[in-house]
Amino acid sequence: MIRRTLLATALATGLCFAAGAQAQTKWDLASAYPTFNFHSQNLAQFAKDIDGATKGALKITVHSGASLFKGPEIKRAVQGGQAQAGEFFMVSFQNEYPIFGADGLPFLAANYDEAFKLYQAQKPFLQKKLDEQGMVLLYAVAWPPQGIYTKKPVQSAADLKGMKWRVYSPTTARIGELVGAQPVTIQEAELSQALATGVIEGLITSSATGADNKLFENLKYYYNVQAWIPKNAVVANKRAFNALDKATQDAVVKAAAAAEERGWKESRAVDAKSLAALKAGGMQVEAPSEQLKADLAKVGETVIKEWTDKAGADGKAVLDAFKAGK
Ligand code: PCA
């Protein structure tokens, strides 16, 4: 009985024993974005740092490109222990807990410094919620600011009317509705295909995702709206984390702090590089017109009001802490 329990625990936590050698733990880390994407590169370095610091006692295999689990499934897979760790796009989970969507609120955080402050305001709530769900928050890194890609020129929100509009979160879907577009949920891994087959004609995402997917092959305009700066969170299964010895846990925490710092820095650099890559690919990269800005600001107010109503006391606490820290 005890042996069976031990074996079950060993399986769930990825513990392996090589004959005569020291115990080695193996973790699978699931991620949804291409191997060459900066978040994925950061994860690879994170795994390498831990391997080095623990002298191979914890080996993390990073499965990028949604190869182990699709984007929307990763969080649940880590929660259930099918993967010991994973990276997920927080704003997609706003319906589960509004605070996951705070970094997807339009025009709340205007730049990376503010986005980092918003993260600090969210963090205790994220940690608590994830803990309740059986997970540990390791780190979170911002995508570059989000802008609008389209086939046709857009001077005002009216130009978005009727457009087949790719969405990745409740907020992007709501924005689509408010401007009269047709929201369609598409994962990043399926973006190119959806564009090539005409399933979508426009979207909000980062310069990085535009460059990663060569969106200039199907779309012509990028309006650098800087609407919000959303984050990926990297989490571990709590049971798997607790099964590590103290020294290994410390190594994971230390590597996570380094990955977070590296990731935020890299995100800024990638934004500049990606904007250049979009231009080089023939995309017209423009600032939004005054009219488009005003229209989006109005939509943004509605979205924030609706979020605040739903997000209750936790939402208010996050917004208050963010404003106090600004
Ligand atoms: N790229 C991802 C998430 C946010 C971003 O910039 C996507 O579009 O799915």
Side-chain angles (χ1 to χ4, degrees):
M1 177 64 195
I2 289 173
R3 257 178 60 194
R4 210 181 295 155
T5 311
L6 278 177
L7 185 62
T9 307
L11 285 175
T13 54
L15 192 66
C16 305
F17 293 89
Q22 175 201 11
Q24 187 187 70
T25 304
K26 290 188 177 182
W27 278 13
D28 287 310
L29 191 157
S31 99
Y33 304 98
T35 310
F36 54 81
N37 169 269
F38 79 99
H39 288 289
S40 310
Q41 294 287 312
N42 200 25
L43 284 170
Q45 185 63 48
F46 172 62
K48 206 171 155 206
D49 287 352
I50 291 172
D51 190 6
T54 65
K55 300 195 173 63
L58 176 58
K59 290 262 183 207
I60 301 178
T61 306
V62 178
H63 303 266
S64 42
S67 57
L68 194 56
F69 292 99
K70 294 207 162 126
E73 296 164 3
I74 290 174
K75 181 168 175 287
R76 186 161 290 278
V78 177
Q79 183 167 9
Q82 288 93 348
Q84 290 79 20
E87 180 184 55
F88 70 94
F89 185 45
M90 286 205 304
V91 298
S92 294
F93 293 86
Q94 177 182 321
N95 282 343
E96 206 176 88
Y97 181 48
I99 307 306
F100 285 137
D103 46 332
L105 295 175
F107 310 111
L108 182 63
N111 53 48
Y112 276 104
D113 288 342
E114 290 192 10
F116 192 76
K117 282 172 186 159
L118 180 56
Y119 172 38
Q120 301 315 303
Q122 280 171 294
K123 204 184 214 169
F125 294 91
L126 299 173
Q127 285 168 328
K128 181 160 180 282
K129 174 56 76 179
L130 289 166
D131 179 70
E132 285 164 13
Q133 295 181 330
M135 288 175 275
V136 181
L137 176 65
L138 298 177
Y139 69 86
V141 166
W143 286 93
Q146 307 286 294
I148 298 180
Y149 291 88
T150 54
K151 244 188 177 102
K152 297 195 196 120
V154 172
Q155 297 307 328
S156 70
D159 293 333
L160 297 169
K161 230 185 179 135
M163 189 180 286
K164 288 182 251 170
W165 178 250
R166 178 264 180 160
V167 302
Y168 60 47
S169 66
T171 291
T172 47
R174 184 69 182 126
I175 291 172
E177 260 171 40
L178 288 167
V179 300
Q182 299 178 41
V184 195
T185 299
I186 302 281
Q187 297 312 312
E188 198 263 3
E190 269 97 53
L191 260 187
S192 300
Q193 205 194 340
L195 280 165
T197 54
V199 172
I200 53 169
E201 304 160 315
L203 68 152
I204 294 196
T205 188
S206 58
S207 56
T209 292
D212 282 358
N213 292 283
K214 299 193 168 59
L215 293 190
F216 41 78
E217 288 177 352
N218 292 289
L219 299 172
K220 189 139 185 21
Y221 299 91
Y222 182 58
Y223 297 97
N224 197 356
V225 174
Q226 317 227 340
W228 57 86
I229 302 180
K231 295 183 289 292
N232 281 352
V234 178
V235 291
N237 174 281
K238 193 158 91 175
R239 240 174 97 203
F241 184 82
N242 288 342
L244 302 173
D245 61 38
K246 176 79 171 64
T248 308
Q249 285 181 351
D250 289 348
V252 171
V253 169
K254 196 168 163 217
E260 184 163 284
E261 202 184 325
R262 194 170 55 232
W264 280 78
K265 220 181 255 165
E266 189 57 16
S267 184
R268 292 175 194 243
V270 161
D271 189 25
K273 268 188 259 173
S274 304
L275 288 170
L278 292 176
K279 285 183 199 158
M283 189 152 250
Q284 231 159 295
V285 176
E286 293 175 17
S289 70
E290 287 307 315
Q291 185 62 53
L292 181 59
K293 265 204 244 174
D295 291 348
L296 292 174
K298 207 163 149 230
V299 168
E301 272 171 36
T302 305
V303 167
I304 291 188
K305 161 123 198 13
E306 290 173 356
W307 180 89
T308 310
D309 288 347
K310 257 200 201 150
D314 287 5
K316 190 178 174 318
V318 169
L319 292 185
D320 287 350
F322 170 60
K323 282 172 194 155
K326 235 171 48 153

